[in-house]
Amino acid sequence: SLKHLIKSCLEKDEKKLSLQEEELSASARMEEYRIAGELLTAQGYLVPRGVDSVSLPNFYDPDGREMQIELDVALTPAQNAQRYFKRYRKARSAQQIAKEQKEKTMQEIALLEQALFDLNACQTEDDLRDVRRTLEAAGIVKAAPAKGTKKKEPNRESKPLCYLAPDGTEIFVGKNSVQNDRLTGAARGNDTWLHAKDMPGSHVIIRTESPAPETLLSAAKLAAWFSKGKGVQVPVDYTLRKFVKKPGGTPPGFVIYTNQRTLIINTTEGEIAAMISKA
C-alpha cells in the first residue's frame, strides 16, 4: 500500500513539475515586456496614431536591431507602455512563485524517490516503520490513529547493514533515510563517507580515515549496489565525514558535502553476497 501511494504521489508531482516548467517558460518573456515599455516611454513620439504595431530602435540590442511591438489602438503610446510594464510585473511575480513551487516539488520528488528506494530495501518491520515515519513527517502519509488506551510502544531503532572488507574492516550501510541520518550523525569526523552521486541510495561509512584501497573499493561497491543505479556504471562520491553537513529543516537522509572524489563503479550481486558471507 505504501508503494502504491508513493508511486501515485510521484506521478502527481511529475505532472505538477511539468506545469511549473511551462509557467517558467511563459514568464521568460517578461524582459521583452519591460523593454517594450521602456522603448515606448522613450520613443513614443515615433509611434503613428492608430497603428496596432510599431517597430522601434532597440537600444538594448547589441546589433542595433529594431523591436516589433504590438499595440492597443485604443491607448496612447504612454498607456501602451504602462500596459507592458504591468505585464512585466505580473510575469516577474509569476516567475518567482513558479520557481519556489518548482523547488518545493523537486524536493518532494527526491524524497519520494528515496522513500521508494528505501521501501524496496526493507528487510524488517522496523525498516518499514522508518519509511512510514519519513513520509508522515513530510505530510505525505497521515499518522496512524492510536487504538484504544493501550500504552504506545517506544520506537525501536532499525539497524544498518554491516559488511566486512577483505582486510576485515567493518563497513556500515544505511538501509533507508532514517538509518542514513543516524549512521552519518554518529560517525566520527575522520571516518570515510560514501554515497552514489545524484541519486537515491545508502550512506556508507568506513570507520577509518585512510582505508586500504581494497576496503575503499568494497565500500564503493556497496554504495553503488545500494543505490538507484544498482551497481551499473554508478558514480560514487567519497569524502571524510567532517565534510558532510545536514542543513536544518531538510528531510531525513538529505546532506550536502564537499572535498569529495568520485569513482565510477560496476558491481554484481555475487560480489555483494561474498561480502555478506564474511560479515
Side-chain angles (χ1 to χ4, degrees):
S1 63
L2 273 181
K3 184 177 289 188
H4 176 76
L5 175 65
I6 293 169
K7 287 184 175 180
S8 177
C9 289
L10 271 172
E11 287 178 8
K12 290 178 183 177
D13 276 350
E14 284 163 359
K15 289 177 182 177
K16 191 191 303 182
L17 183 62
S18 178
L19 291 173
Q20 289 162 351
E21 287 174 342
E22 285 179 15
E23 289 176 11
L24 280 172
S25 179
S27 68
R29 292 196 63 193
M30 69 180 187
E31 284 303 309
E32 294 180 28
Y33 300 148
R34 180 184 64 80
I35 292 171
E38 293 188 5
L39 296 183
L40 285 169
T41 300
Q43 304 175 79
Y45 63 90
L46 295 177
V47 181
R49 186 175 297 176
V51 296
D52 60 5
S53 69
V54 66
S55 186
L56 295 177
N58 184 0
F59 40 75
Y60 288 103
D61 191 315
D63 298 323
R65 291 171 295 191
E66 294 189 339
M67 181 178 185
Q68 189 73 21
I69 303 172
E70 301 297 322
L71 301 171
D72 184 333
V73 295
L75 303 177
T76 66
Q79 288 171 332
N80 270 294
Q82 289 306 310
R83 184 168 67 100
Y84 274 108
F85 286 138
K86 185 176 180 180
R87 285 186 182 179
Y88 166 70
R89 290 191 294 271
K90 185 177 179 180
R92 183 176 61 181
S93 296
Q95 184 186 64
Q96 183 60 35
I97 292 169
K99 277 183 179 178
E100 291 170 0
Q101 290 177 337
K102 180 182 176 182
E103 181 64 27
K104 184 178 178 181
T105 302
M106 290 177 67
Q107 288 177 357
E108 186 166 297
I109 287 174
L111 184 147
L112 288 167
E113 287 181 339
Q114 180 68 48
L116 189 59
F117 171 82
D118 292 347
L119 195 62
N120 290 330
C122 284
Q123 296 181 351
T124 68
E125 289 187 14
D126 290 340
D127 296 340
L128 186 61
R129 275 190 285 270
D130 282 345
V131 178
R132 186 175 183 88
R133 280 196 289 265
T134 299
L135 295 172
E136 287 176 358
I140 296 169
V141 173
K142 291 183 179 179
K147 295 182 180 180
T149 58
K150 186 178 178 180
K151 187 177 178 181
K152 185 179 178 181
E153 293 183 7
N155 289 331
R156 295 176 298 184
E157 285 195 359
S158 58
K159 302 298 182 183
L161 299 169
C162 180
Y163 294 84
L164 290 182
D167 63 358
T169 301
E170 288 185 327
I171 303 171
F172 295 90
V173 180
K175 287 182 286 182
N176 55 54
S177 298
V178 173
Q179 287 185 18
N180 286 343
D181 265 5
R182 287 199 292 258
L183 183 60
T184 297
R188 300 168 301 188
N190 286 331
D191 288 345
T192 302
W193 180 93
L194 304 91
H195 191 280
K197 184 180 179 68
D198 297 331
M199 68 179 74
S202 297
H203 292 198
V204 176
I205 293 290
I206 312 172
R207 295 279 167 84
T208 179
E209 178 179 1
S210 302
E214 282 189 352
T215 299
L216 180 62
L217 181 59
S218 295
K221 285 180 179 291
L222 288 166
W225 182 257
F226 291 101
S227 76
K228 191 176 181 180
K230 207 61 180 175
V232 180
Q233 286 289 298
V234 180
V236 174
D237 287 340
Y238 67 97
T239 187
L240 294 182
R241 164 62 184 87
K242 63 185 176 183
F243 298 124
V244 181
K245 308 296 181 186
K246 182 174 181 60
T250 54
F254 181 88
V255 293
I256 56 176
Y257 53 90
T258 57
N259 297 73
Q260 71 271 23
R261 295 183 178 181
T262 305
L263 300 170
I264 304 299
I265 298 296
N266 283 301
T267 191
T268 64
E269 188 172 2
E271 289 178 303
I272 303 302
M275 282 189 270
I276 293 175
S277 66
K278 294 176 182 177

